[in-house]
PDB file of all heavy atoms in Angstrom:
ATOM      1  N   VAL A 184       7.775  46.883 -46.540  1.00 97.00           N
ATOM      2  CA  VAL A 184       8.930  45.978 -46.564  1.00 97.00           C
ATOM      3  C   VAL A 184       9.636  46.107 -47.910  1.00 97.00           C
ATOM      4  O   VAL A 184       8.991  46.148 -48.970  1.00 97.00           O
ATOM      5  CB  VAL A 184       8.507  44.504 -46.344  1.00 97.00           C
ATOM      6  CG1 VAL A 184       9.743  43.597 -46.319  1.00 97.00           C
ATOM      7  CG2 VAL A 184       7.710  44.352 -45.059  1.00 97.00           C
ATOM      8  N   MET A 185      10.969  46.173 -47.852  1.00 98.00           N
ATOM      9  CA  MET A 185      11.795  46.117 -49.055  1.00 98.00           C
ATOM     10  C   MET A 185      12.534  44.780 -49.063  1.00 98.00           C
ATOM     11  O   MET A 185      13.074  44.360 -48.031  1.00 98.00           O
ATOM     12  CB  MET A 185      12.813  47.258 -49.088  1.00 98.00           C
ATOM     13  CG  MET A 185      12.203  48.642 -49.016  1.00 98.00           C
ATOM     14  SD  MET A 185      13.436  49.968 -49.262  1.00 98.00           S
ATOM     15  CE  MET A 185      14.513  49.699 -47.840  1.00 98.00           C
ATOM     16  N   VAL A 186      12.582  44.151 -50.205  1.00 97.00           N
ATOM     17  CA  VAL A 186      13.307  42.893 -50.372  1.00 97.00           C
ATOM     18  C   VAL A 186      14.514  43.171 -51.268  1.00 97.00           C
ATOM     19  O   VAL A 186      14.368  43.714 -52.368  1.00 97.00           O
ATOM     20  CB  VAL A 186      12.420  41.804 -51.011  1.00 97.00           C
ATOM     21  CG1 VAL A 186      13.188  40.487 -51.115  1.00 97.00           C
ATOM     22  CG2 VAL A 186      11.142  41.615 -50.197  1.00 97.00           C
ATOM     23  N   ILE A 187      15.698  42.824 -50.794  1.00 97.00           N
ATOM     24  CA  ILE A 187      16.929  43.109 -51.522  1.00 97.00           C
ATOM     25  C   ILE A 187      17.625  41.809 -51.886  1.00 97.00           C
ATOM     26  O   ILE A 187      17.641  40.851 -51.113  1.00 97.00           O
ATOM     27  CB  ILE A 187      17.855  44.025 -50.692  1.00 97.00           C
ATOM     28  CG1 ILE A 187      19.001  44.559 -51.538  1.00 97.00           C
ATOM     29  CG2 ILE A 187      18.347  43.332 -49.434  1.00 97.00           C
ATOM     30  CD1 ILE A 187      19.793  45.655 -50.854  1.00 97.00           C
ATOM     31  N   TYR A 188      18.180  41.782 -53.092  1.00 96.00           N
ATOM     32  CA  TYR A 188      18.922  40.605 -53.567  1.00 96.00           C
ATOM     33  C   TYR A 188      20.170  41.076 -54.285  1.00 96.00           C
ATOM     34  O   TYR A 188      20.087  41.811 -55.272  1.00 96.00           O
ATOM     35  CB  TYR A 188      18.059  39.754 -54.504  1.00 96.00           C
ATOM     36  CG  TYR A 188      18.743  38.473 -54.942  1.00 96.00           C
ATOM     37  CD1 TYR A 188      18.786  37.373 -54.087  1.00 96.00           C
ATOM     38  CD2 TYR A 188      19.367  38.368 -56.181  1.00 96.00           C
ATOM     39  CE1 TYR A 188      19.429  36.198 -54.464  1.00 96.00           C
ATOM     40  CE2 TYR A 188      20.004  37.202 -56.571  1.00 96.00           C
ATOM     41  CZ  TYR A 188      20.038  36.118 -55.706  1.00 96.00           C
ATOM     42  OH  TYR A 188      20.679  34.957 -56.077  1.00 96.00           O
ATOM     43  N   LEU A 189      21.326  40.694 -53.780  1.00 94.00           N
ATOM     44  CA  LEU A 189      22.617  41.063 -54.358  1.00 94.00           C
ATOM     45  C   LEU A 189      22.695  42.559 -54.665  1.00 94.00           C
ATOM     46  O   LEU A 189      23.100  42.972 -55.755  1.00 94.00           O
ATOM     47  CB  LEU A 189      22.899  40.235 -55.620  1.00 94.00           C
ATOM     48  CG  LEU A 189      23.273  38.770 -55.365  1.00 94.00           C
ATOM     49  CD1 LEU A 189      23.484  38.031 -56.681  1.00 94.00           C
ATOM     50  CD2 LEU A 189      24.526  38.671 -54.501  1.00 94.00           C
ATOM     51  N   GLY A 190      22.283  43.368 -53.709  1.00 95.00           N
ATOM     52  CA  GLY A 190      22.456  44.799 -53.806  1.00 95.00           C
ATOM     53  C   GLY A 190      21.383  45.558 -54.542  1.00 95.00           C
ATOM     54  O   GLY A 190      21.456  46.787 -54.643  1.00 95.00           O
ATOM     55  N   ARG A 191      20.368  44.873 -55.047  1.00 96.00           N
ATOM     56  CA  ARG A 191      19.277  45.544 -55.766  1.00 96.00           C
ATOM     57  C   ARG A 191      17.943  45.223 -55.102  1.00 96.00           C
ATOM     58  O   ARG A 191      17.701  44.073 -54.683  1.00 96.00           O
ATOM     59  CB  ARG A 191      19.218  45.110 -57.231  1.00 96.00           C
ATOM     60  CG  ARG A 191      20.390  45.573 -58.067  1.00 96.00           C
ATOM     61  CD  ARG A 191      20.232  45.108 -59.520  1.00 96.00           C
ATOM     62  NE  ARG A 191      21.358  45.513 -60.342  1.00 96.00           N
ATOM     63  CZ  ARG A 191      21.439  46.663 -60.996  1.00 96.00           C
ATOM     64  NH1 ARG A 191      20.432  47.525 -60.934  1.00 96.00           N
ATOM     65  NH2 ARG A 191      22.512  46.963 -61.718  1.00 96.00           N
ATOM     66  N   LEU A 192      17.073  46.229 -55.025  1.00 97.00           N
ATOM     67  CA  LEU A 192      15.725  45.983 -54.524  1.00 97.00           C
ATOM     68  C   LEU A 192      14.937  45.237 -55.587  1.00 97.00           C
ATOM     69  O   LEU A 192      14.890  45.645 -56.756  1.00 97.00           O
ATOM     70  CB  LEU A 192      15.030  47.310 -54.195  1.00 97.00           C
ATOM     71  CG  LEU A 192      15.643  48.145 -53.075  1.00 97.00           C
ATOM     72  CD1 LEU A 192      14.804  49.401 -52.833  1.00 97.00           C
ATOM     73  CD2 LEU A 192      15.771  47.345 -51.781  1.00 97.00           C
ATOM     74  N   VAL A 193      14.306  44.130 -55.172  1.00 97.00           N
ATOM     75  CA  VAL A 193      13.523  43.346 -56.125  1.00 97.00           C
ATOM     76  C   VAL A 193      12.029  43.446 -55.859  1.00 97.00           C
ATOM     77  O   VAL A 193      11.219  43.152 -56.745  1.00 97.00           O
ATOM     78  CB  VAL A 193      13.966  41.863 -56.135  1.00 97.00           C
ATOM     79  CG1 VAL A 193      15.411  41.746 -56.594  1.00 97.00           C
ATOM     80  CG2 VAL A 193      13.774  41.221 -54.761  1.00 97.00           C
ATOM     81  N   GLU A 194      11.661  43.854 -54.645  1.00 97.00           N
ATOM     82  CA  GLU A 194      10.245  44.067 -54.358  1.00 97.00           C
ATOM     83  C   GLU A 194      10.104  45.041 -53.196  1.00 97.00           C
ATOM     84  O   GLU A 194      10.861  44.982 -52.228  1.00 97.00           O
ATOM     85  CB  GLU A 194       9.527  42.754 -54.028  1.00 97.00           C
ATOM     86  CG  GLU A 194       8.021  42.913 -53.814  1.00 97.00           C
ATOM     87  CD  GLU A 194       7.233  41.612 -53.976  1.00 97.00           C
ATOM     88  OE1 GLU A 194       7.857  40.539 -54.158  1.00 97.00           O
ATOM     89  OE2 GLU A 194       5.980  41.680 -53.918  1.00 97.00           O
ATOM     90  N   VAL A 195       9.144  45.949 -53.315  1.00 97.00           N
ATOM     91  CA  VAL A 195       8.785  46.878 -52.248  1.00 97.00           C
ATOM     92  C   VAL A 195       7.271  46.883 -52.163  1.00 97.00           C
ATOM     93  O   VAL A 195       6.590  47.059 -53.174  1.00 97.00           O
ATOM     94  CB  VAL A 195       9.301  48.304 -52.523  1.00 97.00           C
ATOM     95  CG1 VAL A 195       8.918  49.238 -51.378  1.00 97.00           C
ATOM     96  CG2 VAL A 195      10.809  48.311 -52.735  1.00 97.00           C
ATOM     97  N   ALA A 196       6.739  46.676 -50.961  1.00 96.00           N
ATOM     98  CA  ALA A 196       5.286  46.589 -50.821  1.00 96.00           C
ATOM     99  C   ALA A 196       4.889  46.904 -49.395  1.00 96.00           C
ATOM    100  O   ALA A 196       5.711  46.868 -48.474  1.00 96.00           O
ATOM    101  CB  ALA A 196       4.789  45.191 -51.216  1.00 96.00           C
ATOM    102  N   SER A 197       3.611  47.209 -49.215  1.00 96.00           N
ATOM    103  CA  SER A 197       3.085  47.306 -47.858  1.00 96.00           C
ATOM    104  C   SER A 197       3.241  45.943 -47.207  1.00 96.00           C
ATOM    105  O   SER A 197       3.270  44.902 -47.871  1.00 96.00           O
ATOM    106  CB  SER A 197       1.613  47.705 -47.887  1.00 96.00           C
ATOM    107  OG  SER A 197       0.827  46.669 -48.461  1.00 96.00           O
ATOM    108  N   CYS A 198       3.367  45.942 -45.886  1.00 95.00           N
ATOM    109  CA  CYS A 198       3.587  44.682 -45.179  1.00 95.00           C
ATOM    110  C   CYS A 198       2.455  43.694 -45.455  1.00 95.00           C
ATOM    111  O   CYS A 198       2.689  42.522 -45.740  1.00 95.00           O
ATOM    112  CB  CYS A 198       3.712  44.957 -43.682  1.00 95.00           C
ATOM    113  SG  CYS A 198       4.283  43.544 -42.716  1.00 95.00           S
ATOM    114  N   GLU A 199       1.245  44.183 -45.400  1.00 94.00           N
ATOM    115  CA  GLU A 199       0.093  43.310 -45.639  1.00 94.00           C
ATOM    116  C   GLU A 199       0.136  42.707 -47.032  1.00 94.00           C
ATOM    117  O   GLU A 199      -0.091  41.512 -47.222  1.00 94.00           O
ATOM    118  CB  GLU A 199      -1.205  44.097 -45.444  1.00 94.00           C
ATOM    119  CG  GLU A 199      -2.464  43.283 -45.694  1.00 94.00           C
ATOM    120  CD  GLU A 199      -3.730  44.103 -45.523  1.00 94.00           C
ATOM    121  OE1 GLU A 199      -3.633  45.313 -45.226  1.00 94.00           O
ATOM    122  OE2 GLU A 199      -4.824  43.529 -45.700  1.00 94.00           O
ATOM    123  N   ARG A 200       0.447  43.556 -48.014  1.00 94.00           N
ATOM    124  CA  ARG A 200       0.465  43.090 -49.396  1.00 94.00           C
ATOM    125  C   ARG A 200       1.603  42.108 -49.646  1.00 94.00           C
ATOM    126  O   ARG A 200       1.432  41.095 -50.337  1.00 94.00           O
ATOM    127  CB  ARG A 200       0.612  44.295 -50.331  1.00 94.00           C
ATOM    128  CG  ARG A 200       0.573  43.967 -51.810  1.00 94.00           C
ATOM    129  CD  ARG A 200      -0.808  43.543 -52.244  1.00 94.00           C
ATOM    130  NE  ARG A 200      -0.865  43.247 -53.670  1.00 94.00           N
ATOM    131  CZ  ARG A 200      -1.886  42.647 -54.270  1.00 94.00           C
ATOM    132  NH1 ARG A 200      -2.946  42.287 -53.556  1.00 94.00           N
ATOM    133  NH2 ARG A 200      -1.872  42.413 -55.556  1.00 94.00           N
ATOM    134  N   LEU A 201       2.772  42.383 -49.081  1.00 94.00           N
ATOM    135  CA  LEU A 201       3.917  41.517 -49.343  1.00 94.00           C
ATOM    136  C   LEU A 201       3.691  40.116 -48.799  1.00 94.00           C
ATOM    137  O   LEU A 201       4.024  39.128 -49.448  1.00 94.00           O
ATOM    138  CB  LEU A 201       5.177  42.119 -48.726  1.00 94.00           C
ATOM    139  CG  LEU A 201       6.442  41.323 -49.068  1.00 94.00           C
ATOM    140  CD1 LEU A 201       7.382  42.151 -49.929  1.00 94.00           C
ATOM    141  CD2 LEU A 201       7.160  40.844 -47.812  1.00 94.00           C
ATOM    142  N   PHE A 202       3.100  40.014 -47.601  1.00 94.00           N
ATOM    143  CA  PHE A 202       2.925  38.696 -47.007  1.00 94.00           C
ATOM    144  C   PHE A 202       1.685  37.974 -47.524  1.00 94.00           C
ATOM    145  O   PHE A 202       1.624  36.750 -47.470  1.00 94.00           O
ATOM    146  CB  PHE A 202       2.875  38.812 -45.486  1.00 94.00           C
ATOM    147  CG  PHE A 202       4.237  39.010 -44.861  1.00 94.00           C
ATOM    148  CD1 PHE A 202       4.725  40.274 -44.610  1.00 94.00           C
ATOM    149  CD2 PHE A 202       5.030  37.924 -44.563  1.00 94.00           C
ATOM    150  CE1 PHE A 202       5.978  40.469 -44.051  1.00 94.00           C
ATOM    151  CE2 PHE A 202       6.290  38.093 -44.003  1.00 94.00           C
ATOM    152  CZ  PHE A 202       6.768  39.362 -43.749  1.00 94.00           C
ATOM    153  N   SER A 203       0.709  38.721 -48.029  1.00 91.00           N
ATOM    154  CA  SER A 203      -0.499  38.064 -48.537  1.00 91.00           C
ATOM    155  C   SER A 203      -0.401  37.770 -50.024  1.00 91.00           C
ATOM    156  O   SER A 203      -0.988  36.789 -50.506  1.00 91.00           O
ATOM    157  CB  SER A 203      -1.728  38.937 -48.270  1.00 91.00           C
ATOM    158  OG  SER A 203      -1.651  40.167 -48.979  1.00 91.00           O
ATOM    159  N   ALA A 204       0.324  38.596 -50.783  1.00 91.00           N
ATOM    160  CA  ALA A 204       0.396  38.412 -52.232  1.00 91.00           C
ATOM    161  C   ALA A 204       1.754  38.831 -52.771  1.00 91.00           C
ATOM    162  O   ALA A 204       1.879  39.795 -53.526  1.00 91.00           O
ATOM    163  CB  ALA A 204      -0.719  39.206 -52.926  1.00 91.00           C
ATOM    164  N   PRO A 205       2.835  38.129 -52.385  1.00 93.00           N
ATOM    165  CA  PRO A 205       4.159  38.464 -52.907  1.00 93.00           C
ATOM    166  C   PRO A 205       4.206  38.213 -54.413  1.00 93.00           C
ATOM    167  O   PRO A 205       3.647  37.238 -54.906  1.00 93.00           O
ATOM    168  CB  PRO A 205       5.084  37.517 -52.152  1.00 93.00           C
ATOM    169  CG  PRO A 205       4.214  36.353 -51.792  1.00 93.00           C
ATOM    170  CD  PRO A 205       2.857  36.931 -51.520  1.00 93.00           C
ATOM    171  N   ARG A 206       4.909  39.095 -55.147  1.00 92.00           N
ATOM    172  CA  ARG A 206       4.924  38.983 -56.599  1.00 92.00           C
ATOM    173  C   ARG A 206       6.271  38.548 -57.172  1.00 92.00           C
ATOM    174  O   ARG A 206       6.315  37.933 -58.229  1.00 92.00           O
ATOM    175  CB  ARG A 206       4.520  40.322 -57.222  1.00 92.00           C
ATOM    176  CG  ARG A 206       3.087  40.738 -56.937  1.00 92.00           C
ATOM    177  CD  ARG A 206       2.094  39.862 -57.679  1.00 92.00           C
ATOM    178  NE  ARG A 206       2.274  39.940 -59.106  1.00 92.00           N
ATOM    179  CZ  ARG A 206       1.680  40.838 -59.901  1.00 92.00           C
ATOM    180  NH1 ARG A 206       0.874  41.737 -59.364  1.00 92.00           N
ATOM    181  NH2 ARG A 206       1.875  40.835 -61.208  1.00 92.00           N
ATOM    182  N   HIS A 207       7.356  38.895 -56.520  1.00 95.00           N
ATOM    183  CA  HIS A 207       8.663  38.520 -57.072  1.00 95.00           C
ATOM    184  C   HIS A 207       8.999  37.080 -56.681  1.00 95.00           C
ATOM    185  O   HIS A 207       8.755  36.664 -55.545  1.00 95.00           O
ATOM    186  CB  HIS A 207       9.757  39.457 -56.558  1.00 95.00           C
ATOM    187  CG  HIS A 207      11.020  39.366 -57.358  1.00 95.00           C
ATOM    188  ND1 HIS A 207      11.948  38.361 -57.172  1.00 95.00           N
ATOM    189  CD2 HIS A 207      11.503  40.148 -58.361  1.00 95.00           C
ATOM    190  CE1 HIS A 207      12.953  38.528 -58.014  1.00 95.00           C
ATOM    191  NE2 HIS A 207      12.705  39.610 -58.751  1.00 95.00           N
ATOM    192  N   PRO A 208       9.557  36.291 -57.603  1.00 94.00           N
ATOM    193  CA  PRO A 208       9.901  34.902 -57.271  1.00 94.00           C
ATOM    194  C   PRO A 208      10.840  34.775 -56.081  1.00 94.00           C
ATOM    195  O   PRO A 208      10.750  33.813 -55.313  1.00 94.00           O
ATOM    196  CB  PRO A 208      10.559  34.387 -58.559  1.00 94.00           C
ATOM    197  CG  PRO A 208       9.974  35.227 -59.647  1.00 94.00           C
ATOM    198  CD  PRO A 208       9.766  36.586 -59.043  1.00 94.00           C
ATOM    199  N   TYR A 209      11.747  35.726 -55.895  1.00 95.00           N
ATOM    200  CA  TYR A 209      12.663  35.657 -54.756  1.00 95.00           C
ATOM    201  C   TYR A 209      11.908  35.866 -53.446  1.00 95.00           C
ATOM    202  O   TYR A 209      12.137  35.157 -52.463  1.00 95.00           O
ATOM    203  CB  TYR A 209      13.769  36.699 -54.901  1.00 95.00           C
ATOM    204  CG  TYR A 209      14.737  36.715 -53.739  1.00 95.00           C
ATOM    205  CD1 TYR A 209      15.445  35.572 -53.386  1.00 95.00           C
ATOM    206  CD2 TYR A 209      14.941  37.873 -52.992  1.00 95.00           C
ATOM    207  CE1 TYR A 209      16.339  35.576 -52.322  1.00 95.00           C
ATOM    208  CE2 TYR A 209      15.833  37.888 -51.927  1.00 95.00           C
ATOM    209  CZ  TYR A 209      16.525  36.735 -51.595  1.00 95.00           C
ATOM    210  OH  TYR A 209      17.399  36.760 -50.533  1.00 95.00           O
ATOM    211  N   THR A 210      10.997  36.833 -53.421  1.00 95.00           N
ATOM    212  CA  THR A 210      10.185  37.049 -52.225  1.00 95.00           C
ATOM    213  C   THR A 210       9.389  35.801 -51.890  1.00 95.00           C
ATOM    214  O   THR A 210       9.304  35.386 -50.727  1.00 95.00           O
ATOM    215  CB  THR A 210       9.229  38.235 -52.421  1.00 95.00           C
ATOM    216  OG1 THR A 210       9.952  39.370 -52.869  1.00 95.00           O
ATOM    217  CG2 THR A 210       8.503  38.576 -51.134  1.00 95.00           C
ATOM    218  N   ARG A 211       8.814  35.189 -52.905  1.00 93.00           N
ATOM    219  CA  ARG A 211       8.033  33.974 -52.677  1.00 93.00           C
ATOM    220  C   ARG A 211       8.912  32.839 -52.166  1.00 93.00           C
ATOM    221  O   ARG A 211       8.482  32.037 -51.334  1.00 93.00           O
ATOM    222  CB  ARG A 211       7.309  33.572 -53.962  1.00 93.00           C
ATOM    223  CG  ARG A 211       6.218  34.557 -54.362  1.00 93.00           C
ATOM    224  CD  ARG A 211       5.501  34.117 -55.641  1.00 93.00           C
ATOM    225  NE  ARG A 211       4.836  32.832 -55.480  1.00 93.00           N
ATOM    226  CZ  ARG A 211       3.644  32.654 -54.908  1.00 93.00           C
ATOM    227  NH1 ARG A 211       2.985  33.698 -54.420  1.00 93.00           N
ATOM    228  NH2 ARG A 211       3.116  31.452 -54.826  1.00 93.00           N
TER     229      ARG A 211
END
């Protein structure tokens, strides 16, 4: 999964990792 905010990627992670341990405040 890639997370984008105002045209910039802010987090890229495996699906499992993103939903179990998101690191960027926007993703959270």
Side-chain angles (χ1 to χ4, degrees):
V184 182
M185 302 187 297
V186 182
I187 192 169
Y188 184 79
L189 286 178
R191 292 181 181 271
L192 296 182
V193 297
E194 184 160 5
V195 181
S197 67
C198 191
E199 179 181 1
R200 183 70 179 168
L201 185 115
F202 283 93
S203 64
R206 294 290 299 271
H207 196 280
Y209 178 58
T210 308
R211 292 181 62 81

